[in-house]
Amino acid sequence: MNSLSYVSIMKEWDIVAARQMGRELSKQIGFGTVDQARITTAISELARNIYLYAGEGQICFEAIKTLDQKGILIIAKDNGPGIKDLSQVMEDGYSTSGGLGAGLPGVRRLMDEFDIETEVGKGTKISTKKWVR
Amino acid sequence: MRIPILKLHNYLLISIQTELDDQTAINFQEDLLREIHTTEATGVVIDLTSVEVIDSFIAKVLGDVVSMSDLMGAKVVLTGIQPAVAMTLIELGIHLQNVPTALDLEQGLLKLHQEMGE
Ligand SMILES: Nc1ncnc2c1ncn2[C@@H]1O[C@H](COP(=O)(O)OP(=O)(O)OP(=O)(O)O)[C@@H](O)[C@H]1O
Ligand SMILES: [Mg+2]
């Protein structure tokens, strides 16, 4: 099985392609329907942020394993403008685009682990994991 | 892609059967408002039974559709939201308050009848 795959985000339809790939992989890994919805939604948020704020980037998927757990790792990366105030964008309701501002704080709640690296002018990399319960 | 809008008496019925990308959602919003205007519909049921993902963007579009239709004098009821979608929405922090919902299309129509005292 190919455990590492990615979708390039360049146009709006790629957001749909990314979540379809994420749903397929999370099904294969053995996630239940609610977790599949959580993972797919998280991917949709990350992919749309890339499309809206960075113009283009990538969503990478990986099936991951420890001794006693299986899960999925999703990495969203772009070479866009980066994020100046991280604590602000992680607040519910903060948006620079007239959105609901639910994306990033929502992804953190939907997934089990969440990590963000960003540098103004360089880009943003968000890594997030979910484990099969 | 265009989502079909059916007319039944003074109601409009929509069953969303496709994967909702952003452009389809926006087109739908425009189409529905135009239909409400031309048909003078007083009620709208949007059935979401087949929708597997509602993210923050789609949620915003749906919420906006409800308020815009309201302004135009048509009540909207959302029906058939899947359990997994409902849980995900709440975890995203989206509560869709003030948005009337019902279990399925039939209940949705019933709710419209009641709300309009017909
Ligand atoms: N990849 C990114 N590059 C640069 N800025 C970003 C990126 N992702 C998010 N941001 C910034 O963080 C803010 C918050 O993002 P978040 O996804 O939480 O909300 P939103 O996209 O504004 O609205 P919503 O996702 O609810 O539609 C954005 O408004 C944007 O300014
Ligand atoms: Mg967002």
Side-chain angles (χ1 to χ4, degrees):
Chain A
M1 191 181 86
N2 184 9
S3 66
L4 181 68
S5 37
Y6 72 90
V7 173
S8 295
I9 306 297
M10 271 152 24
K11 51 190 191 310
E12 202 207 275
W13 184 257
D14 297 330
I15 301 172
V16 174
R19 65 190 190 215
Q20 280 170 348
M21 186 179 280
R23 178 176 290 274
E24 211 34 62
L25 183 60
S26 50
K27 209 182 280 179
Q28 275 173 29
I29 294 172
F31 284 102
T33 46
V34 178
D35 277 342
Q36 284 175 35
R38 290 187 174 110
I39 293 164
T40 312
T41 306
I43 291 168
S44 200
E45 298 298 341
L46 295 174
R48 178 170 301 98
N49 281 356
I50 289 176
Y51 175 72
L52 279 181
Y53 308 118
E56 57 181 70
Q58 251 182 17
I59 306 271
C60 308
F61 309 88
E62 196 175 343
I64 50 173
K65 250 195 200 118
T66 64
L67 274 182
D68 53 356
Q69 286 189 106
K70 285 183 303 180
I72 189 168
L73 165 65
I74 297 156
I75 298 176
K77 56 183 179 203
D78 63 65
N79 302 315
I83 296 170
K84 204 156 58 193
D85 189 341
L86 258 188
S87 58
Q88 200 171 33
V89 300
M90 293 311 296
E91 274 170 32
D92 278 295
Y94 177 81
S95 173
T96 57
S97 66
L100 295 174
L104 290 178
V107 171
R108 180 152 71 177
R109 283 191 292 267
L110 291 168
M111 302 292 286
D112 293 330
E113 293 175 35
F114 182 91
D115 179 62
I116 176 164
E117 292 165 44
T118 183
E119 205 181 320
V120 173
K122 287 252 164 72
T124 303
K125 178 179 171 190
I126 296 173
S127 312
T128 182
K129 290 180 189 169
K130 187 142 195 94
W131 301 103
V132 177
R133 245 165 285 272
Chain B
M1 186 141 359
R2 239 59 198 192
I3 294 170
I5 300 175
L6 305 179
K7 183 169 186 296
L8 181 77
H9 304 298
N10 44 347
Y11 295 152
L12 297 176
L13 304 182
I14 300 98
S15 171
I16 298 182
Q17 298 285 348
T18 61
E19 172 96 42
L20 270 180
D21 65 288
D22 299 7
Q23 195 53 50
T24 307
I26 289 170
N27 291 345
F28 166 64
Q29 181 171 40
E30 291 172 6
D31 290 351
L32 180 60
L33 295 181
R34 194 171 338 101
E35 279 301 296
I36 290 173
H37 184 72
T38 53
T39 63
E40 300 183 344
T42 53
V44 179
V45 181
I46 303 176
D47 187 61
L48 301 168
T49 308
S50 311
V51 174
E52 294 184 323
V53 187
I54 298 182
D55 62 11
S56 61
F57 181 82
I58 305 294
K60 181 171 190 297
V61 172
L62 286 173
D64 288 349
V65 162
V66 174
S67 338
M68 291 169 180
S69 306
D70 212 51
L71 270 178
M72 295 179 62
K75 279 260 162 298
V76 180
V77 180
L78 302 183
T79 63
I81 296 180
Q82 289 184 18
V85 172
M87 290 172 77
T88 307
L89 273 176
I90 297 298
E91 285 170 20
L92 263 183
I94 295 169
H95 296 273
L96 289 179
Q97 275 146 342
N98 311 320
V99 175
T101 52
L103 213 51
D104 55 26
L105 226 132
E106 201 179 337
Q107 299 289 323
L109 281 171
L110 218 74
K111 189 159 188 157
L112 281 180
H113 270 300
Q114 285 163 355
E115 293 221 356
M116 294 190 262
E118 282 170 6

